[in-house]
Amino acid sequence: MAAEASRTSEARRDAVFGRWVVFSPARSRRPTDLKSHAPANPSPGAAGAAAGAPKPSCPFCQGRESECAPEIFRVPAPPDASPWRIRVIENLYPALRRDAEPPAPEEAGEGEATPGERAVVGFGFHDVVIETPRHDVRLWDLDAAGVGDVVLAYARRVRQLMEHPAVKYVQVFKNHGASAGASMAHSHSQMLGTPFVPPSVTTRLNCMKEVFERLGKCSLCEFQSKDILVSETHNFSAIVPFAASYPFEIWIIPRQHSSYFHEIDKDMALDLGSLLRTMLAKLSKQLNDPPFNFMIHSAPFGVSSSCLPYTHWFLQIVPQLSLIGGFEIGSGCYINPVFPEDAAKILRELDC
């Protein structure tokens, strides 16, 4: 690609997280050569097990339900199929405890925060979404309706957690691959409900507020160039962000301004399921099934109405292709060897 050969280093500031990113194509081979070399994710098919058969050590498989933490709800399967399609359960090893005493509002950082170090009881909710009863099926192996049902399960559980007066934010996320933090190979995702608004969420909202006050528009309601567009549907756009912190990072953004992910309806969930499935399939094909994380960034519960014009939820997909080094940790800036326009072109032209 001639454009790749002529690229020189460039620094860009992100308008959502407020991060500076250094694009340095000299630090990488051609973008099309960038592949994951992480160990393959184990599956029963690789070991010769029958398709869909439970893996001996996997409690997420159908028939092993009694080995899991308590079930919160399930999405039933059609008659004559498996007993369930999706299960939402408590995490057996939670980072936060639902049975702990919630901290007082002032302890959790509301109002006038007390300066200096402090500690509060680790109250919160930590749940697991088992996306399929089959061990050999990845999320993007499901059809669009199947992925859409997973999205609706996320939203349903977020709405339930919103009813708890001490929960201020819910982070929905998926880790795929051991090096991306997945401790189980069976396809699943997680959510954490916290009694505080995490600092990165506050930073994101403050950055988007600054852009809104300066330009009079939401940071995500329009993007600067069609060159970063990968694909779009009636309701969503998939882009490689202008200042992507990671190579081949993708954001899926509602085309109409929307602050809260949990307000998604069935039609939008089906649309998101279709686009998410396609984006994950493209990344898997182009990058050799890389470990990845995806996160849903939404507005905290109960933000004032004045905040809604600049809060816009989106889903971020981050392939894990390189390690974070000392510069990134020390400075908060990132080095990305692939320009967003080049990554978007590669993914746009990839048939999946």
Side-chain angles (χ1 to χ4, degrees):
M1 296 171 66
E4 294 169 10
S6 63
R7 295 278 192 195
T8 58
S9 294
E10 182 176 307
R12 297 181 181 183
R13 185 176 185 270
D14 169 67
V16 173
F17 295 106
R19 293 190 290 238
W20 279 96
V21 181
V22 176
F23 291 92
S24 181
R27 294 173 60 88
S28 173
R29 297 168 296 174
R30 291 165 55 92
T32 49
D33 295 333
L34 195 62
K35 306 286 183 185
S36 171
H37 298 289
N41 292 306
S43 72
K55 187 177 176 64
S57 61
C58 180
F60 289 176
C61 288
Q62 179 188 333
R64 307 284 295 277
E65 293 85 357
S66 63
E67 300 175 32
C68 294
E71 181 178 295
I72 299 167
F73 66 83
R74 66 173 57 186
V75 178
D80 303 322
S82 62
W84 52 273
R85 282 182 293 153
I86 301 165
R87 294 178 72 228
V88 180
I89 64 172
E90 298 178 16
N91 194 309
L92 193 60
Y93 305 102
L96 296 171
R97 307 287 308 198
R98 67 193 70 218
D99 56 354
E101 184 70 22
E106 61 272 14
E107 293 180 310
E110 294 185 39
E112 287 295 323
T114 304
E117 296 179 348
R118 63 187 188 277
V120 299
V121 174
F123 162 82
F125 292 83
H126 191 175
D127 300 332
V128 176
V129 180
I130 306 173
E131 301 155 354
T132 170
R134 291 182 52 172
H135 193 88
D136 60 335
V137 171
R138 303 164 302 184
L139 181 59
W140 60 98
D141 293 327
L142 300 174
D143 60 16
V147 182
D149 284 340
V150 173
V151 170
L152 287 173
Y154 295 160
R156 177 179 169 184
R157 183 55 181 155
V158 172
R159 290 193 297 270
Q160 291 176 347
L161 292 172
M162 182 178 64
E163 296 300 315
H164 196 293
V167 175
K168 304 305 178 188
Y169 191 77
V170 177
Q171 181 64 70
V172 180
F173 63 98
K174 178 177 176 65
N175 302 332
H176 171 76
S179 59
S183 58
M184 302 283 288
H186 193 121
S187 190
H188 70 285
S189 35
Q190 302 178 63
M191 53 183 67
L192 268 164
T194 64
F196 51 83
V197 177
S200 65
V201 178
T202 301
T203 299
R204 168 167 56 89
L205 297 186
N206 287 341
C207 183
M208 296 180 78
K209 179 182 180 182
E210 291 174 5
V211 172
F212 184 80
E213 291 177 341
R214 181 163 49 89
L215 302 179
K217 62 182 181 180
C218 164
S219 304
L220 290 174
C221 278
E222 57 183 77
F223 41 89
Q224 298 181 4
S225 169
K226 289 291 184 181
D227 290 339
I228 63 174
L229 178 68
V230 179
S231 182
E232 59 186 350
T233 65
H234 179 70
N235 295 295
F236 295 93
S237 298
I239 68 168
V240 177
F242 169 77
S245 296
Y246 307 91
F248 290 92
E249 176 182 353
I250 295 174
W251 292 3
I252 300 179
I253 307 167
R255 296 178 67 181
Q256 296 296 318
H257 186 81
S258 177
S259 298
Y260 290 109
F261 159 73
H262 65 261
E263 295 178 347
I264 194 169
D265 61 25
K266 187 173 183 179
D267 289 340
M268 284 192 68
L270 177 62
D271 208 18
L272 176 57
S274 175
L275 190 55
L276 176 58
R277 176 181 180 272
T278 299
M279 293 303 103
L280 294 179
K282 282 178 177 283
L283 291 175
S284 180
K285 184 176 181 179
Q286 177 62 40
L287 303 175
N288 190 32
D289 189 16
F292 68 80
N293 307 99
F294 75 57
M295 295 72 64
I296 295 176
H297 301 287
S298 187
F301 301 143
V303 296
S304 68
S305 58
S306 63
C307 299
L308 299 181
Y310 59 79
T311 58
H312 193 138
W313 76 265
F314 66 102
L315 188 153
Q316 177 189 22
I317 309 171
V318 177
Q320 297 294 344
L321 299 171
S322 57
L323 297 176
I324 298 299
F327 174 75
E328 288 86 352
I329 296 170
S331 68
C333 302
Y334 289 76
I335 298 176
N336 188 340
V338 182
F339 272 87
E341 294 82 358
D342 296 333
K345 184 175 189 296
I346 291 166
L347 293 173
R348 190 166 55 240
E349 295 176 351
L350 189 65
D351 186 25
C352 279

